[in-house]
Amino acid sequence: GKETALETLSLFVQETEDRLKLLRKLSGDAYRSKIEREAHSLKSAAGTFGLRAVAQLARALERDAAHITASDYLALLDRIEAAFSAARMQYLAPVCTENQIRR
């Protein structure tokens, strides 16, 4: 029902915020496979919720994780975060109240 859907949406938002924080912490060659896995998970989750821009950017990160430069990585993370923020305001906020989606 509606309550379960809102809980699922809230969980998605929280997990996405956590994943973006983790991606910010990961850098360097030692974490390339982890970055690729996290980008894959983000791409899939964003696609499930219809956040195409986020999914496309996450797909690019997944694809490029093995060879992306540090500056390009940070720039792509900026774009992913901006797309998620915009989608959250445009699509997710009208569906839920502030208390239902944790910030």
Side-chain angles (χ1 to χ4, degrees), residues 44-98:
S44 299
T48 297
F49 284 93
L51 306 182
R52 289 185 211 143
V54 175
Q56 289 173 347
L57 292 166
R59 183 181 314 119
L61 179 56
E62 177 187 21
R63 179 193 65 224
D64 297 342
H67 55 78
I68 196 167
T69 66
S71 61
D72 288 344
Y73 175 64
L74 293 175
L76 188 49
L77 281 181
D78 288 343
R79 292 178 63 203
I80 292 170
E81 288 171 340
F84 178 66
S85 180
R88 186 172 172 181
M89 296 304 293
Q90 183 175 3
Y91 301 113
L92 305 180
V95 175
C96 301
T97 66
E98 189 171 319

Side-chain angles (χ1 to χ4, degrees), residues 18-61:
D18 292 346
R19 182 165 283 119
L20 291 171
K21 287 177 189 173
L22 174 62
L23 285 167
R24 278 280 169 204
K25 291 179 184 177
L26 299 175
S27 63
D29 292 334
Y31 296 104
R32 289 185 184 272
S33 63
K34 178 94 173 139
I35 291 168
E36 183 178 354
R37 284 192 309 273
E38 292 298 326
H40 176 80
S41 295
L42 177 58
K43 172 191 75 177
S44 299
T48 297
F49 284 93
L51 306 182
R52 289 185 211 143
V54 175
Q56 289 173 347
L57 292 166
R59 183 181 314 119
L61 179 56

